[in-house]
Amino acid sequence: LKARLRVRGDPCARAEAMAPTRILLLEFFVLLGYAISGYTIHVESQMSKVPGYVPACNIGSWSSCSRVFSSPWAHILRHWGLVEEGSVLDLSLPQLACIWFTLLFFYPVARKKSSHGPLVYALLGAASCGFNGYLGYILKFKLKEFCIICASTYAINAGCVSCLVWDYVVSRRIKAQKVE
């Protein structure tokens, strides 16, 4: 009972108790990210195996995810000249997204193991938003397409990054409160 009263009266203790909500929300977004990345990998696979395959994400003439998934930017590391075509590191964007979501999946462990975890992840999240902005620019101005899968991935990533920043801000408040 004393612990419960302490949490109600102390905003930092209340924020610390809320951590599971932030983290559960982050993990929910991570699962959504895995799902949409899995669908995208499936579409890419079908497009390479089945001639004339039209994915469900091709909504109309104004929205062709298949055109986006078959563009040079779909294998960004190769497009940038960092890897050779067909190399082990010639990963498509959804494969890279799976790596990112796996890193986010382990955030709860990182934040417990290191006091710098929230800061490092918040900075990585900011970088991922910059990368999404770059991809959005390519989508809109280079490919001149709208891709519902891409937009959904950007929104999911924004949700993940929001949770990371939220947790970082709260962790800073808690540290400041402990110093006083």
Side-chain angles (χ1 to χ4, degrees):
L1 182 62
K2 284 183 183 180
R4 187 178 288 157
L5 290 174
R6 244 185 322 199
V7 168
R8 282 191 186 156
D10 180 8
C12 286
R14 198 170 41 244
E16 217 166 348
M18 289 252 330
T21 302
R22 295 187 300 276
I23 303 309
L24 288 174
L25 189 56
L26 171 65
E27 297 302 310
F28 172 73
F29 283 124
V30 166
L31 292 176
L32 287 176
Y34 278 134
I36 204 157
S37 296
Y39 173 74
T40 307
I41 290 168
H42 168 74
V43 168
E44 288 177 336
S45 171
Q46 290 299 103
M47 285 172 40
S48 69
K49 291 177 186 172
V50 181
Y53 175 75
V54 179
C57 56
N58 278 7
I59 299 173
S61 61
W62 56 276
S63 176
S64 172
C65 66
S66 59
R67 182 165 178 258
V68 174
F69 298 163
S70 60
S71 77
W73 289 276
H75 285 255
I76 198 74
L77 299 177
R78 179 187 347 142
H79 179 71
W80 287 343
L82 299 175
V83 299
E84 295 292 320
E85 184 173 352
S87 79
V88 174
L89 296 176
D90 184 19
L91 302 171
S92 67
L93 286 171
Q95 290 169 323
L96 291 170
C98 285
I99 294 169
W100 169 241
F101 290 122
T102 299
L103 185 67
L104 292 177
F105 181 77
F106 288 107
Y107 174 70
V109 174
R111 71 188 286 273
K112 292 289 184 195
K113 294 285 184 187
S114 171
S115 62
H116 300 297
L119 173 61
V120 169
Y121 271 80
L123 291 173
L124 287 171
S128 76
C129 286
F131 183 64
N132 281 170
Y134 166 75
L135 292 175
Y137 167 80
I138 297 299
L139 191 63
K140 175 71 176 161
F141 297 106
K142 299 286 184 177
L143 296 174
K144 296 179 175 40
E145 286 289 344
F146 174 78
C147 170
I148 190 71
I149 297 299
C150 304
S152 300
T153 303
Y154 305 156
I156 290 167
N157 190 53
C160 290
V161 173
S162 296
C163 292
L164 293 173
V165 170
W166 181 13
D167 193 56
Y168 169 71
V169 168
V170 170
S171 72
R172 295 278 298 170
R173 281 191 202 142
I174 291 168
K175 281 182 189 175
Q177 187 83 8
K178 288 180 181 178
V179 171
E180 293 176 4

